Amino acid sequence: MEEKRLSDLFPSMVERRRHLHRHPELSFMEKETSAQIAGILRELGIETVVNVGGFGLVANIRGELPGKTVALRADMDALPIQDEKSCEYASLHPGVMHACGHDGHTATLLALAEYYSRGKAKLRGEIRLIFQPAEEVCPGGAKSMIEEGALDGVDVIYGVHLWTPIPVGTVASAPGPLMASTDEFFIDVQGRGGHGGMPHKTVDSVLAASALVLQLQSVVSRSVDPLDPAVVTIGSIQGGTAQNIIADRCRLSGTVRCFREETRELIRERIHTLAISTAEAYGAEAKINYMMGYPSLVNNEGEYRRFMNVAPGVFGLRAELSPKIMPAEDFAYYLQQVPGCFMFVGAGNPDKAAIYPHHHPKFDIDEDAMLHAAGLLAAMAEAYQNEHA
């Protein structure tokens, strides 16, 4: 990995990232973002397939030396959040902003497209660049891109997330499970409505739903091994129209996060059982809509060791073991198909107002992190190719 050549591309990373930040697009709606990326790749003379799994793009750069096929992935969708930053690159689209760093991921991968397209003489094998739509919303874009051939012939895959919870200059990952699976559920409790002064003539759906909220808190505390991380969260409860009317229907919605498939299935079964039995205990009926989302993201242990070996040689980065975290990532689908590693690249810096958590209205990154991310991805790809030469 040639740090000087990458560093020379840093100004264009910043320019492209800020343009994307001004013009964010929501999941499954990344039409203009995709078109812009395709235009840049065409200018670089890179073979590109568009509209893969939606607005996804797959770009292939073949080196002049024999070798394997290494895939690098960036997501490119934004979030339905109003940008509250005061800066010249704030979102121009009301209610939509890049509040998770995907604009930086895309700008990083575009810099690598330029880096590799101008260095084919020294490049072993093939670099496949995957620009993915819709990471933020299930079912996500990774699965559909895989179904349409994005990973065909790929030997290994790497991805990064610019991450403000850790400081710029630090990178982190972990062997095995790193990020949780994510499932969603909606429970409709059907009772029998009536007058608030005559409760004995009704079946109170709000009362039954409230009891169910408390029962669901026992799933993790009493059904899951205490050494096996898991979360069941009730995010909303909606029922009733007035203070003197007993509601005939009440809806709960929530999310489940864990790391083991056995635990995932156990929690799903317990939620079904508790919903039905608790509602029946109050004379009501429960209908459950349970949606399985992204699986747990599981890094290949050998590729994690590669990360720990190469990261300290990239712009002087400090490599750390990351704890498991409960946010989810559909990069997990790629890792179910081929070996690889997902890595966090520190993007937090109080001196540059990069202090807000992901999905916050004032979220921003230290843009130096993009250069670190590009260097890390290039170093991982080069180390893999050299090992298999």
Side-chain angles (χ1 to χ4, degrees):
M1 188 273 295
E2 299 178 43
E3 290 189 0
K4 175 63 167 60
R5 281 210 302 128
L6 270 181
S7 297
D8 289 344
L9 296 172
F10 181 63
S12 67
M13 286 189 221
V14 172
E15 180 182 352
R16 287 166 179 163
R17 181 255 168 173
R18 293 186 178 187
H19 177 84
L20 291 167
H21 203 86
R22 291 187 197 98
H23 303 282
E25 293 181 297
L26 295 174
S27 305
F28 302 108
M29 300 172 65
E30 308 93 336
K31 181 178 180 180
E32 295 304 319
T33 302
S34 181
Q36 180 190 350
I37 294 168
I40 294 170
L41 295 173
R42 279 195 297 269
E43 289 177 4
L44 293 171
I46 298 173
E47 172 193 332
T48 305
V49 182
V50 301
N51 298 326
V52 181
F55 289 114
L57 304 96
V58 175
N60 298 289
I61 305 171
R62 294 182 178 85
E64 296 181 10
L65 302 175
K68 300 288 188 176
T69 298
V70 177
L72 308 176
R73 172 268 205 172
D75 39 17
M76 56 188 187
D77 53 329
L79 287 155
I81 297 173
Q82 178 62 42
D83 195 344
E84 295 181 2
K85 293 191 301 300
S86 297
C87 62
E88 58 89 13
Y89 53 86
S91 173
L92 299 177
H93 299 183
V96 183
M97 75 169 287
H98 274 291
C100 202
H102 296 187
D103 51 341
H105 302 165
T106 300
T108 296
L109 211 59
L110 285 172
L112 286 171
E114 193 166 351
Y115 174 82
Y116 285 120
S117 67
R118 295 177 178 174
K120 293 180 181 179
K122 297 180 181 179
L123 176 61
R124 293 183 182 277
E126 179 177 314
I127 295 293
R128 181 168 301 173
L129 305 176
I130 298 174
F131 293 89
Q132 181 204 305
E135 186 278 329
E136 295 287 1
V137 178
C138 288
K143 196 171 183 180
S144 59
M145 290 196 76
I146 292 168
E147 290 170 353
E148 295 189 20
L151 286 184
D152 290 357
V154 168
D155 296 295
V156 71
I157 187 167
Y158 303 119
V160 295
H161 204 308
L162 303 177
W163 201 241
T164 58
I166 58 178
V168 67
T170 299
V171 291
S173 189
L178 173 62
M179 302 181 75
S181 60
T182 175
D183 301 324
E184 299 174 353
F185 60 88
F186 302 86
I187 302 173
D188 289 304
V189 178
Q190 184 67 51
R192 185 172 68 251
H195 197 290
M198 303 176 68
H200 60 295
K201 298 288 188 179
T202 71
V203 174
D204 192 339
S205 65
V206 171
L207 178 62
S210 299
L212 178 56
V213 170
L214 295 178
Q215 290 295 323
L216 292 175
Q217 303 311 303
S218 71
V219 172
V220 172
S221 66
R222 289 298 177 266
S223 296
V224 176
D225 186 333
L227 300 179
D228 184 8
V231 169
V232 174
T233 292
I234 307 300
S236 72
I237 177 168
Q238 301 170 332
T241 57
Q243 80 283 356
N244 62 345
I245 300 174
I246 290 176
D248 67 337
R249 190 174 75 91
C250 188
R251 164 168 277 207
L252 306 178
S253 67
T255 185
V256 174
R257 309 291 174 110
C258 59
F259 292 93
R260 299 174 63 247
E261 284 299 314
E262 296 85 353
T263 303
R264 195 180 186 190
E265 189 56 38
L266 168 66
I267 292 174
R268 181 183 184 182
E269 291 174 0
R270 292 296 296 144
I271 287 175
H272 272 269
T273 300
L274 284 172
I276 292 170
S277 61
T278 302
E280 286 181 349
Y282 286 82
E285 180 183 1
K287 295 182 179 179
I288 305 101
N289 179 15
Y290 200 102
M291 300 188 304
M292 304 292 278
Y294 304 159
S296 176
L297 186 151
V298 182
N299 278 332
N300 177 273
E301 295 196 7
E303 294 306 322
Y304 165 74
R305 289 193 296 271
R306 189 186 312 282
F307 158 78
M308 292 298 289
N309 288 333
V310 307
V314 178
F315 296 110
L317 295 174
R318 176 182 176 182
E320 296 182 343
L321 172 65
S322 174
K324 294 178 181 178
I325 64 170
M326 286 299 175
E329 242 286 352
D330 73 346
F331 193 85
Y333 288 118
Y334 300 114
L335 293 175
Q336 287 185 333
Q337 303 298 317
V338 296
C341 190
F342 193 70
M343 302 157 284
F344 296 117
V345 176
N349 188 346
D351 294 336
K352 297 183 180 179
I355 57 175
Y356 296 96
H358 293 251
H359 297 205
H360 189 281
K362 291 186 178 182
F363 174 84
D364 206 352
I365 60 170
D366 183 333
E367 290 172 322
D368 289 349
M370 293 189 292
L371 182 58
H372 300 161
L376 180 59
L377 288 170
M380 291 289 286
E382 182 177 313
Y384 180 87
Q385 293 285 18
N386 289 340
E387 180 181 321
H388 294 85

